[in-house]
Amino acid sequence: MVLGVLVGVVLLGVGALFVSMFAGKQDVAEGRELEGFVRVVKDDFTSVSVLDAGPGAVALIDAGADVSGKALLAELQRRGLGPEAVKAIFLTHGHSDHTAACHLFPKAEVVAFAPDVPLVEGKESGHGPLTQWLPSKDVQARVTRRLQADETVQVGTLSVRALSVPGHTGGSAAYLVRGVLFLGDNADAKKDGTLVGAQWPFTDDRRQNRESLRGLSERLKSEPVKYLVFAHSGVLDGDAALRTFAAVSEK
């Protein structure tokens, strides 16, 4: 009976933690289209952005949480395309809810920063307060290209700028494409239009995450950023939320 009470208290505590973390966040912007070349696809509790890379070609920002890739394959079918149309998968980081469907696209280049390669490939677990206790998970994702900081990768008609933003994981990335900034789990959008940093239970180094977001804001101060896209929440117009976050965090 005492054990049951203790387990109940722990479960209530965990539940309260997750409610506090996710309350107030914008919902994933399912089906939202941006700048005529991006479509946001909801995949379970996360999202994948599908980018038009020219006739018969797309690139993905992340590969979702579903190993069957049901939502992604449906989006390709909607476009009259098959798995071979995916030319590149740009991973924002190596957690398995962002890499699960990589194996469905064997012709795609899988792109990530070097520190996250062991995480992507299931050879390491995360290092956050919660993720360090989760077993490593091999979802058959294999990185074929290791990024350099501030490198631009050409995929069909797209030029994808890779920006290193360590903190959520050691190799976390953001990607800037034609004024759309893809932030993955590095930050979230709240319903009031503000931006918050990475969720601490899943984050290796919360302080580094904040510093990286401030640095990102500084690096992009002269860039026309039209939208901020997040993996677990909605889309924010413009970059004001990132700049406000950076200014407040600096104080």
Side-chain angles (χ1 to χ4, degrees):
M1 181 172 150
V2 172
L3 180 60
V5 170
L6 289 174
V7 170
V9 169
V10 170
L11 290 175
L12 284 172
V14 171
L17 171 64
F18 277 79
V19 168
S20 66
M21 283 169 44
F22 295 107
K25 287 198 332 184
Q26 286 191 18
D27 294 333
V28 170
E30 165 69 16
R32 182 163 179 185
E33 298 189 3
L34 306 171
E35 295 299 297
F37 78 100
V38 178
R39 184 176 172 88
V40 179
V41 176
K42 186 174 182 180
D43 179 85
D44 200 0
F45 54 90
T46 187
S47 67
V48 177
S49 291
V50 182
L51 282 57
D52 184 351
V58 299
L60 306 181
I61 306 294
D62 289 330
D66 177 14
V67 293
S68 74
K70 182 178 179 181
L72 282 177
L73 294 175
E75 172 60 20
L76 292 175
Q77 185 177 36
R78 187 188 72 84
R79 295 167 181 249
L81 302 174
E84 70 283 351
V86 179
K87 305 305 180 185
I89 303 170
F90 292 89
L91 297 176
T92 59
H93 63 294
H95 289 158
S96 60
D97 58 325
H98 295 257
T99 64
C102 283
H103 67 102
L104 297 176
F105 310 107
K107 294 188 177 181
E109 191 165 45
V110 179
V111 182
F113 280 108
D116 264 29
V117 171
L119 188 59
V120 171
E121 298 185 349
K123 297 171 183 175
E124 272 187 14
S125 296
H127 303 290
L130 179 60
T131 55
Q132 66 179 309
W133 302 107
L134 301 176
S136 57
K137 186 176 182 181
D138 185 357
V139 294
Q140 303 176 57
R142 298 293 179 265
V143 175
T144 60
R145 179 168 179 169
R146 300 184 183 207
L147 291 165
Q148 303 296 319
D150 233 346
E151 178 180 1
T152 296
V153 180
Q154 192 71 31
V155 181
T157 58
L158 296 175
S159 294
V160 181
R161 183 179 174 189
L163 299 151
S164 176
V165 281
H168 181 60
T169 62
S172 283
Y175 298 102
L176 182 64
V177 191
R178 298 180 187 171
V180 182
L181 183 62
F182 301 93
L183 285 161
D185 285 8
N186 295 300
D188 276 313
K190 299 194 73 175
K191 290 179 179 177
D192 63 3
T194 59
L195 180 149
V196 293
Q199 298 292 345
W200 72 265
F202 310 103
T203 296
D204 291 0
D205 188 327
R206 193 165 177 259
R207 177 178 292 180
Q208 187 182 38
N209 166 251
R210 270 64 180 165
E211 291 173 352
S212 289
L213 290 173
R214 286 197 298 271
L216 182 65
S217 177
E218 180 65 22
R219 274 182 283 171
L220 298 180
K221 65 181 180 181
S222 60
E223 300 279 350
V225 177
K226 301 173 184 177
Y227 298 97
L228 305 177
V229 182
F230 309 87
H232 296 287
S233 55
V235 174
L236 295 179
D237 294 354
D239 62 355
L242 176 61
R243 303 212 180 281
T244 298
F245 175 89
V248 171
S249 298
E250 197 171 16
K251 293 179 181 178

